[in-house]
Amino acid sequence: MASSVFFQGMALCASLIMAIGAQNAFILRQGISRQHLFIAVITCIGCDFLLMSAGVLGMGKILQTLPELQSWMALAGAAFVFWFGWQALQKAIRPGQLQIDDESRSARTAKSVVAAALGFSLLNPHAILDTVVLVGGIGAQQAPANQPMFLLGAVSFSCLWFFSLAYGASKLAPLFAKPAAWRVLDALIALMMVAIGISLLKMA
C-alpha cells in the first residue's frame, strides 16, 4: 500500500513538472552555462518540497477560495517572467561565447542564482497551482498515514527531474561554445517567457 502511494505521488509530479515552463527553462540555461548549478537545483527542489507540503497540509484548499490572491500572484509572476524574458532577449541580441573556466562560472553570483530560482518557484502561479493545489490537494485526500509517503514520492521525482535536466544540459556545453547557439537558445527562452507572461495576465 505504501509503495503504491509513493509511486502515485511520483507519477502525479512527473505529469506536471516535465512540461517545459519558466522554472525548467531557468534550470536548463543554468545547466548549459554551468553557473552555480547545484545551488539552483537544490533551491528549486526545496521550494517544491515546501509548496507540496503546504498543499498536503491544506493550503491548496485555502488558495482555491481566494481568487483575488491568485490574481495578485499572477500579476507578480507575469512581471517576473517578462523581466527574465527581456534579459534573455538582450542576451540573444548580444550573445556571448561560453568559456568554461572559473571566471565565467562566477559571472553570475550565487546570490542572484538563488534569487532567480526562488522567483521562478515562488512567484510563478503555474508552479504554485501545480505543487500546492494539484499535488497538495490530491495528497491531502490520502489517509493521514499515507500522506508522508505520497509527499516523498512527489518530491523524489522533483529531485530526479531537476538533477537530470540540469546535469544532462551541462553535457551540451561544448555545443554552446558558439555564440549562435546561445542566440537561438535565449531567443527561444525569451519567446517562452512572453507566452507564459501573457497567460499569467489572462489568469489575472
Side-chain angles (χ1 to χ4, degrees), residues 180-198:
W182 279 111
R183 187 188 299 273
V184 172
L185 177 67
D186 285 318
L188 290 174
I189 290 177
L191 289 173
M192 185 186 302
M193 293 303 109
V194 170
I196 293 173
I198 292 173

Side-chain angles (χ1 to χ4, degrees), residues 20 27 31 52-53 60 87 143-144 158 184 204:
I20 295 299
I27 291 295
M52 291 176 188
S53 299
Q87 296 288 98
S158 178
V184 172

Side-chain angles (χ1 to χ4, degrees), residues 21-79:
Q23 195 180 39
N24 285 342
F26 166 72
I27 291 295
L28 179 65
R29 197 182 198 286
Q30 290 304 119
I32 294 172
S33 64
R34 298 178 181 176
Q35 290 183 343
H36 306 293
L37 186 50
F38 183 79
I39 294 175
V41 170
I42 288 297
T43 302
C44 288
I45 292 172
C47 288
D48 274 7
F49 173 73
L50 291 176
L51 293 172
M52 291 176 188
S53 299
V56 171
L57 293 174
M59 185 176 290
K61 294 181 180 179
I62 297 174
L63 188 60
Q64 288 177 326
T65 65
L66 299 172
E68 185 175 344
L69 176 59
Q70 292 185 44
S71 295
W72 282 107
M73 288 168 50
L75 288 173

Side-chain angles (χ1 to χ4, degrees), residues 7-22:
F7 286 112
Q8 183 182 351
M10 283 194 72
L12 178 61
C13 185
S15 67
L16 298 172
I17 201 173
M18 291 179 69
I20 295 299

Side-chain angles (χ1 to χ4, degrees), residues 12 16 128-139 150:
L12 178 61
L16 298 172
I128 292 175
L129 289 174
D130 285 350
T131 53
V132 178
V133 178
L134 296 177
V135 175
I138 293 176
F150 180 90

Side-chain angles (χ1 to χ4, degrees), residues 152-187:
L152 179 61
V155 174
S156 294
F157 188 83
S158 178
C159 293
L160 177 63
W161 171 253
F162 282 126
F163 274 109
S164 297
L165 179 65
Y167 288 95
S170 69
K171 303 299 182 182
L172 298 175
L175 173 65
F176 284 83
K178 298 179 179 180
W182 279 111
R183 187 188 299 273
V184 172
L185 177 67
D186 285 318

